[in-house]
Amino acid sequence: QKEVEQNSGPLSVPEGAIASLNCTYSDRGSQSFFWYRQYSGKSPELIMFIYSNGDKEDGRFTAQLNKASQYVSLLIRDSQPSDSATYLCAVSDSNYQLIWGAGTKLIIKP
Amino acid sequence: DAGVTQSPTHLIKTRGQQVTLRCSPKSGHDTVSWYQQALGQGPQFIFQYYEEEERQRGNFPDRFSGHQFPNYSSELNVNALLLGDSALYLCASSLGDRALEAFFGQGTRLTVV
């Protein structure tokens, strides 16, 4: 059974601090990794994707991938109250289908 | 540039009834995937349509069926509705059958009573 695990949270972070969200996956053959943000009652929105080991930065967001440890993370710098949402990690399997984690609820406290 | 659109946004059905949900993909996209998302859970893959064919299917019963039209729009049909089918149904579009950068519609909230 291919699995993607995330801490459900909530993760509470002060405004302006760095929020760190983590995800582990079971399928060693996974090649592509995605982070989606989902506001309550809304649909998921793609934030970042990463395919290679290392870091990928886009504005305040940094995705980090370590395939040896089967670990992917998302860092949000200078956290804002508008970043409060559930963050979903998705990992592709060998059939190019996405396996989803249950999400981590992030709360940014003003 | 229109994004992914789904209709209706909300729907209430009775157990045993049938429902049809609709999705128009983002302009330029040719692949539509359907997901079911229960409260507090991540999306669960139902199936994917590409070139008017069901290319992949998740672990959902045959009560769940779909269709893709020549204009790439898609329908999800659920027969013999159960209370457990109550969920947010999400449509995601992408380009090509191996594309993973998917864009979601706003979803259809289905409530079965």
Side-chain angles (χ1 to χ4, degrees):
Chain A
Q1 181 77 6
K2 299 170 184 174
E3 295 182 338
V4 175
E5 299 288 340
Q6 294 182 257
N7 188 320
S8 62
L11 174 65
S12 184
V13 174
E15 183 176 359
I18 296 175
S20 177
L21 303 161
N22 305 315
C23 172
T24 59
Y25 58 95
S26 62
D27 183 3
R28 283 198 169 272
S30 298
Q31 296 293 324
S32 307
F33 308 85
F34 301 81
W35 283 100
Y36 282 79
R37 177 176 63 200
Q38 187 172 27
Y39 293 113
S40 181
K42 303 296 184 181
S43 59
E45 173 191 9
L46 180 63
I47 299 175
M48 295 278 295
F49 57 89
I50 186 167
Y51 301 145
S52 304
N53 273 331
D55 295 0
K56 179 181 179 182
E57 187 175 319
D58 184 0
R60 297 188 295 114
F61 298 95
T62 299
Q64 299 176 316
L65 176 60
N66 184 324
K67 289 186 178 181
S69 299
Q70 295 176 243
Y71 175 95
V72 58
S73 64
L74 179 70
L75 302 179
I76 306 174
R77 289 181 300 280
D78 188 24
S79 297
Q80 303 297 311
S82 60
D83 295 326
S84 298
T86 295
Y87 289 79
L88 296 162
C89 173
V91 175
S92 69
D93 67 8
S94 56
N95 293 319
Y96 300 94
Q97 284 308 319
L98 292 176
I99 311 299
W100 294 78
T104 298
K105 183 174 183 178
L106 175 65
I107 298 173
I108 306 300
K109 290 188 172 181
Chain B
D1 181 21
V4 182
T5 59
Q6 290 186 245
S7 64
T9 55
H10 295 83
L11 201 53
I12 299 175
K13 288 287 190 178
T14 304
R15 275 181 302 173
Q17 285 188 315
Q18 179 265 346
V19 68
T20 297
L21 310 181
R22 295 177 176 82
C23 172
S24 292
K26 180 180 169 65
S27 179
H29 284 183
D30 56 8
T31 301
V32 172
S33 301
W34 287 93
Y35 293 87
Q36 180 194 67
Q37 187 177 25
L39 202 60
Q41 300 296 318
Q44 298 295 313
F45 175 68
I46 302 175
F47 41 54
Q48 182 187 78
Y49 279 86
Y50 173 70
E51 293 186 339
E52 301 181 54
E53 290 186 3
E54 182 182 295
R55 289 303 181 102
Q56 298 199 47
R57 189 180 183 91
N59 189 25
F60 277 80
D62 292 344
R63 298 187 297 110
F64 290 77
S65 63
H67 188 77
Q68 185 178 37
F69 299 94
N71 67 353
Y72 308 121
S73 67
S74 177
E75 289 182 348
L76 164 65
N77 301 293
V78 186
N79 294 323
L81 284 167
L82 304 174
L83 294 180
D85 294 331
S86 296
L88 180 67
Y89 287 84
L90 296 164
C91 166
S93 78
S94 54
L95 181 60
D97 62 340
R98 294 187 174 185
L100 297 171
E101 296 163 35
F103 295 85
F104 284 86
Q106 78 277 22
T108 294
R109 172 72 61 186
L110 173 65
T111 302
V112 183
V113 298

